[in-house]
Amino acid sequence: MAKIIAGDKTVKCRLLIFDKDGTIVDYKSSLLSLARARFTSLNRLAGEQVADAWAKAVGVDLRSGWIDPEGPLGIAPTSEEVLVTAVVLYQRGWGWNEAKQLAETAFNEADKSMKPPFGSVPVPGVPETLRRLKTLHDLNIALASTDRHWRSSQTLRALNLDVYFDVVLGADDVQRGKPAPDMVLEACRKTGCHPSDSVVVGDSRVDMLMGKNAMAKACIGVLSGITPRDKLEALADIIITSVASLSPAEKQ
């Protein structure tokens, strides 16, 4: 098994599973770009009052750049965000079926308005760290994101990070998103690894819970997102500043 140094600990594993936003790429730059595109689309299709209500419902303030780390924009898969948007529309007079269709239309329009890498920039030091980790024998690297598969893949490709990942998973690749264990189990299935040989690395509580629910060997919390240390410490086995703090033990 590969040996990874995380903080003052060494972890043996065959599979590293990384979250995307806040872990591999800057949390705010990617999510705020996505939120602005969705706000603009909803504003055009349903009016500014609906767009403002939507922003409040998903936990974002576009004027200040604030994002609720426990809100739908921060941790929910797109399918759940669409339903939140449909509820906002329903409460303002649209019938339920019409509200769902309009929400889907708004999200699809927002997607089409954005180009890779969709406002994402790598967390400092991440490309270099992934490059070093990729040299380890018997180590698989996976991405498990609440974002859609196509956007996650295109983001990695546009940032020239795709070459470091053996598996890329979005919430639409599994039946249940985080904090369910499905993405860990699917990454294990695709790589031939056992969950007990996997390590989850993420910036949110749902990442840690996903790892715990899958019975992963360890859950490493990173402080490069917007989840406070105390909230991560309650669930993580190890806390590090960012993915850049990881290193192959063999290279030390």
Side-chain angles (χ1 to χ4, degrees), residues 96-230:
W96 180 240
N97 288 332
E98 185 183 10
K100 288 191 295 182
Q101 183 176 357
L102 184 56
E104 285 279 6
T105 298
F107 274 48
N108 289 336
E109 181 181 281
D111 286 342
K112 291 178 182 178
S113 72
M114 302 179 72
K115 303 298 180 185
F118 312 105
S120 297
V121 295
V123 170
V126 162
E128 296 80 5
T129 299
L130 291 174
R131 189 178 304 119
R132 290 193 295 269
L133 292 172
K134 194 63 177 175
T135 66
L136 288 174
H137 296 294
D138 199 29
L139 179 67
N140 298 277
I141 301 178
L143 187 83
S145 176
T146 57
D147 203 351
R148 288 171 169 166
H149 179 105
W150 67 266
R151 185 161 39 230
S152 296
S153 295
Q154 289 187 25
T155 296
L156 293 179
R157 192 175 304 118
L159 296 174
N160 297 315
L161 299 178
D162 57 312
V163 294
Y164 304 120
F165 289 87
D166 301 290
V167 175
V168 175
L169 296 171
D172 49 336
D173 290 316
V174 293
Q175 185 174 358
R176 299 173 299 171
K178 302 174 185 179
D182 296 31
M183 278 196 274
V184 172
L185 300 180
E186 181 65 7
C188 288
R189 186 188 71 79
K190 285 182 174 290
T191 58
C193 298
H194 193 274
S196 62
D197 293 330
S198 70
V199 171
V200 173
V201 184
D203 72 305
S204 71
R205 287 166 48 85
V206 292
D207 295 318
M208 303 299 98
L209 287 169
M210 176 183 68
K212 297 292 184 184
N213 290 334
M215 300 185 72
K217 186 168 191 174
C219 296
I220 300 176
V222 296
L223 300 175
S224 51
I226 58 174
T227 305
R229 176 187 282 269
D230 61 332

Side-chain angles (χ1 to χ4, degrees), residues 9-71:
K9 296 183 180 180
T10 299
V11 181
K12 294 182 180 180
C13 64
R14 292 184 59 211
L15 173 62
L16 271 177
I17 304 173
F18 291 99
D19 169 56
K20 178 168 70 74
D21 297 319
T23 304
I24 296 298
V25 301
D26 181 74
Y27 189 95
K28 282 197 170 183
S29 64
S30 57
L31 287 185
L32 286 176
S33 294
L34 186 61
R36 290 189 185 100
R38 290 174 177 172
F39 183 94
T40 298
S41 180
L42 281 167
N43 189 11
R44 188 187 72 79
L45 293 171
E48 187 173 3
Q49 288 187 342
V50 168
D52 284 337
W54 166 83
K56 184 176 181 180
V58 299
V60 62
D61 186 331
L62 293 175
R63 294 174 180 83
S64 67
W66 172 82
I67 300 172
D68 182 357
E70 299 291 331

